[in-house]
Amino acid sequence: MSRPVNRPFAVSLLLAALLVPAPSSAQVKEKKRLEACREVLEELLGGEERIPRDLLDKAECVAVIPSAKKFALGFGGRWGKGAVVCRGQGGSGAWGPPLLISIGGGSLGLQIGGQEADYVFLVMNPKGIDYLMRSQFSLGADAAVAAGPVGRTGSAATDLRLRAEILSYSRTRGLFAGLSLEGSVVRQDQDGNENVYGERIDAKRLLLDGAYPVPAAARGFVDLLATSSPRHSTEK
């Protein structure tokens, strides 16, 4: 014999479900962006041609730009969106919540065609972090950037690490290598950050002060960094 349905209770559940706001299309888009950041970083930390783990341990922040568009109609250029995560407590703490960013810029020389590329930046010192506090900065003109070494270790690039504030990497059609990306402009993505955090955020309070919790959409990205590089290395 079937049990009678508690209609008032069922109606209450239905109303509660209807009152819970569904994620907006913008929020869904930013969630996909952060998931793509995790996927790209996970892939580029594995295999023989990889981001050296000892350099990751020395990095203050890590930025990922998945599927940036490289276009070329006459003069080439690039454009894409991603996110950057920094260690808290002056580099000695846990990986914190992400700041959503965009990258854009041209490259000299006549080119034909277009393709997508994944970019990863390792911010190697506090001076490099200072640039992230700006609404935008230029790689090369403002922050010293260099192509990062690939392989199991970065021990052969000691001089490079000491000079560069940011080490950059690029993967295009399966080819992974260091790439300086000089001339590219990195900007804070204010609209993207508002979609994720529900308000206009302050980059310093977000990246350095731990004033915001890690959003659920970014948990996979941040957890991957916590697993891959749980402790910051200050070894030169």
Side-chain angles (χ1 to χ4, degrees), residues 33 65-69 78-82 101-105 119 185:
R33 184 205 304 204
I65 312 289
S67 301
K69 307 294 184 182
R78 60 181 63 89
W79 182 85
K81 291 186 174 183
I101 58 174
S102 67
I103 185 173
Y119 298 122
V185 177

Side-chain angles (χ1 to χ4, degrees), residues 5-224:
V5 177
N6 187 333
R7 294 186 181 279
F9 179 70
V11 171
S12 299
L13 285 179
L14 178 61
L15 289 175
L18 293 174
L19 290 174
V20 174
S24 68
S25 60
Q27 290 173 323
V28 172
K29 180 178 66 175
E30 306 310 352
K31 182 176 186 294
K32 290 181 178 178
R33 184 205 304 204
L34 291 163
E35 289 174 347
C37 288
R38 180 197 60 78
E39 291 171 1
V40 167
L41 184 62
E42 186 173 37
E43 291 168 0
L44 298 186
L45 289 175
E48 290 297 324
E49 297 298 315
R50 69 179 69 172
I51 297 172
R53 194 60 59 95
D54 59 332
L55 288 185
L56 180 64
D57 289 342
K58 293 176 174 64
E60 304 270 355
C61 308
V62 176
V64 182
I65 312 289
S67 301
K69 307 294 184 182
K70 295 175 65 179
F71 57 89
L73 285 174
F75 288 89
R78 60 181 63 89
W79 182 85
K81 291 186 174 183
V84 59
V85 174
C86 295
R87 302 179 194 267
Q89 299 177 14
S92 62
W95 295 98
L99 176 74
L100 273 61
I101 58 174
S102 67
I103 185 173
S107 56
L108 297 177
L110 290 173
Q111 303 176 37
I112 299 174
Q115 54 187 294
E116 292 186 350
D118 302 315
Y119 298 122
V120 175
F121 308 138
L122 303 184
V123 180
M124 303 306 295
N125 54 44
K127 188 174 180 182
I129 298 177
D130 289 342
Y131 292 111
L132 295 172
M133 304 299 110
R134 304 182 183 182
S135 59
Q136 68 176 55
F137 67 94
S138 176
L139 297 175
D142 295 322
V145 62
V150 300
R152 291 187 177 275
T153 71
S155 58
T158 302
D159 292 340
L160 178 68
R161 293 204 309 268
L162 291 176
R163 291 195 303 269
E165 291 149 4
I166 296 176
L167 300 178
S168 57
Y169 296 86
S170 171
R171 180 179 65 174
T172 305
R173 292 182 178 176
L175 178 63
F176 177 56
L179 185 69
S180 72
L181 294 177
E182 287 192 8
S184 298
V185 177
V186 178
R187 296 180 174 87
Q188 295 180 21
D189 183 358
Q190 294 185 352
D191 291 339
N193 285 304
E194 188 168 1
N195 290 332
V196 170
Y197 294 99
E199 62 182 274
R200 291 283 176 175
I201 58 92
D202 178 88
K204 180 178 181 297
R205 295 183 65 235
L206 177 75
L207 294 178
L208 301 183
D209 297 343
Y212 299 83
V214 175
R219 177 52 63 189
F221 184 26
V222 175
D223 284 352
L224 174 62

